[in-house]
């Protein structure tokens, strides 16, 4: 399905009346939201949770539209996910990075101009053990994301080795009841093996390193009530290219879940230096519909 088709479906769902058929039996907001890579989690970091409200012997799905605007770039993401029996999550996402006609200056002095970069991401996540609410050690899941560049011209020119790559990760999530000021606290830790440059948008591997490295990612969120969640995320990044230093990402987010069919997430994001442009900070907004 094309990005335009996914976007049309997402808009139709997001703005449909929320009263209607059952969408699963799990507790409010236990599916998380949709990351920029399509999997269930926060904005930047996948969580052990699986998307939608599907429990055992149920299936459900999500559609999401997201956009991040930082100083010199903008990223648009369209994603969809399917949850089978709260055991297996399958996801797909299309990322479009608007470069604002940025000119990359290469080592030999030549310039390379391109308006945007596009990447497709196909993901799968399996719940291994536990439950985020009731298991003493929380819920643990393992996931894989296959990422594929649609135009490798810029990544190749700046030293990336490949136009596709695979991330593998393990996540653990736990909800602590009445942990902070009688509010529920969600904690997540993710370990990711990756060789992706800027999440894959600048290709995979490089002249500094071409092997998978283990990166740590974390999230913490405090439920003000069942509809509002505030928190922060941090994501380590590899540094594979001599062309430009790659910094870690972090955000401060607010998620609003006014109804089980709809989740809205806003965030302040800091991506650090990206492709020689320094201190990229800005805003992130995501709309997710569940069915």
């Amino acid at each position: 399905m094309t990005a335009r088709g996914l976007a049309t479906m997402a808009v139709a769902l997001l703005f449909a009346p929320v009263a209607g058929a059952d969408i699963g039996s799990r507790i409010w907001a236990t599916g998380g939201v949709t990351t920029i890579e399509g999997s269930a989690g926060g904005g930047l970091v996948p969580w052990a949770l699986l998307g939608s409200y599907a429990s055992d012997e149920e299936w459900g799905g999500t559609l999401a539209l997201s956009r991040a605007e930082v100083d010199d770039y903008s990223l648009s993401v369209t994603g969809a996910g399917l949850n089978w029996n709260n055991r297996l999550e399958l996801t797909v996402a299309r990322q479009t990075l608007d470069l604002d006609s940025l000119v990359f200056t290469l080592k030999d002095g030549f310039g390379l101009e391109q308006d945007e970069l596009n990447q497709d991401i196909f993901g799968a996540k399996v719940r291994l053990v536990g439950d985020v609410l009731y298991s003493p050690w929380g819920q643990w899941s393992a996931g894989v994301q296959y990422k594929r560049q649609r135009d490798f011209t810029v990544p190749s020119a700046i030293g990336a080795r490949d136009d596709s790559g695979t991330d593998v990760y393990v996540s653990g999530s736990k909800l602590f009841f009445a942990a902070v000021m009688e509010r529920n606290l969600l904690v997540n830790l993710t370990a990711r093996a990756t060789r992706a440059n800027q999440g894959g948008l600048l290709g995979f591997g490089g002249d500094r390193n071409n092997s998978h490295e283990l990166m740590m990612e974390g999230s913490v969120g405090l439920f003000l009530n069942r509809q509002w969640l505030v928190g922060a995320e941090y994501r380590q990044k590899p540094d594979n290219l001599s062309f430009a230093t790659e910094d870690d990402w972090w955000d401060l987010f607010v998620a609003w879940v006014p109804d089980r069919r709809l989740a809205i997430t806003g965030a302040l994001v800091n991506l650090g230096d990206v492709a020689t442009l320094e201190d990229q900070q800005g805003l992130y907004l995501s709309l997710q519909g569940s069915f």
Side-chain angles (χ1 to χ4, degrees):
M1 181 179 293
T2 65
R4 180 176 296 179
L6 283 173
T8 301
M9 292 177 62
V11 170
L13 176 61
L14 293 173
F15 295 99
V18 296
D22 183 20
I23 61 170
S25 58
R26 280 162 52 192
I27 294 176
W28 197 286
T30 52
V33 293
T34 301
T35 71
I36 59 172
E37 293 162 322
S39 58
L44 300 178
V45 178
W47 299 350
L49 305 174
L50 273 59
S52 83
Y53 290 92
S55 187
D56 296 349
E57 300 183 0
E58 297 175 341
W59 70 273
T62 56
L63 294 169
L65 296 173
S66 305
R67 186 169 178 86
E69 294 273 359
V70 295
D71 296 319
D72 295 289
Y73 303 97
S74 60
L75 176 68
S76 300
V77 184
T78 306
L82 180 67
N83 180 343
W84 176 76
N85 286 354
N86 197 27
R87 179 62 63 180
L88 174 65
E89 175 188 272
L90 299 176
T91 58
V92 60
R94 164 70 61 82
Q95 296 179 335
T96 300
L97 181 67
D98 185 352
L99 303 176
D100 296 326
S101 299
L102 175 69
V103 176
F104 291 91
T105 302
L106 308 181
K107 291 180 179 179
D108 57 8
F110 291 98
L112 181 62
E113 184 175 352
Q114 187 165 331
D115 291 335
E116 65 180 32
L117 297 173
N118 294 282
Q119 178 175 230
D120 294 327
I121 303 175
F122 304 92
K125 186 195 301 182
V126 177
R127 180 170 64 89
L128 301 175
V129 294
D131 180 89
V132 67
L133 298 176
Y134 305 117
S135 297
W137 298 102
Q139 179 171 317
W140 292 85
S141 299
V144 60
Q145 295 173 345
Y146 172 73
K147 304 177 179 182
R148 181 183 64 196
Q149 281 279 326
R150 298 183 65 85
D151 187 339
F152 192 51
T153 303
V154 167
S156 176
I158 63 176
R161 297 290 187 89
D162 297 300
D163 64 354
S164 63
T166 301
D167 288 1
V168 179
Y169 64 89
V170 176
S171 296
S173 299
K174 173 62 179 173
L175 185 72
F176 296 93
F177 294 102
V180 178
M181 298 179 293
E182 299 301 314
R183 292 337 194 250
N184 298 335
L185 180 69
L186 177 69
V187 177
N188 178 85
L189 183 66
T190 296
R192 181 194 300 257
T194 183
R195 54 193 285 268
N197 308 318
Q198 298 296 347
L201 287 162
L202 293 182
F204 303 85
D207 55 321
R208 285 183 176 176
N209 175 69
N210 195 38
S211 301
H212 280 79
E213 293 184 276
L214 186 64
M215 299 288 118
M216 301 305 297
E217 307 171 8
S219 307
V220 60
L222 183 68
F223 282 91
L224 304 181
N225 54 43
R226 75 172 186 171
Q227 292 187 343
W228 289 93
L229 174 68
V230 297
E233 298 180 291
Y234 188 87
R235 176 168 169 172
Q236 275 190 324
K237 308 284 292 310
D239 196 11
N240 299 325
L241 299 170
S242 297
F243 166 76
T245 299
E246 183 165 348
D247 292 333
D248 297 341
W249 292 346
W250 60 266
D251 70 27
L252 302 174
F253 69 85
V254 177
W256 179 41
V257 188
D259 184 90
R260 286 160 59 85
R261 289 187 179 273
L262 178 64
I264 302 172
T265 304
L268 298 174
V269 296
N270 188 317
L271 307 182
D273 296 355
V274 179
T276 73
L277 296 180
E278 298 180 353
D279 198 22
Q280 297 297 305
Q281 301 181 42
L283 300 176
Y284 170 82
L285 178 66
S286 179
L287 307 178
Q288 174 188 279
S290 299
F291 60 91

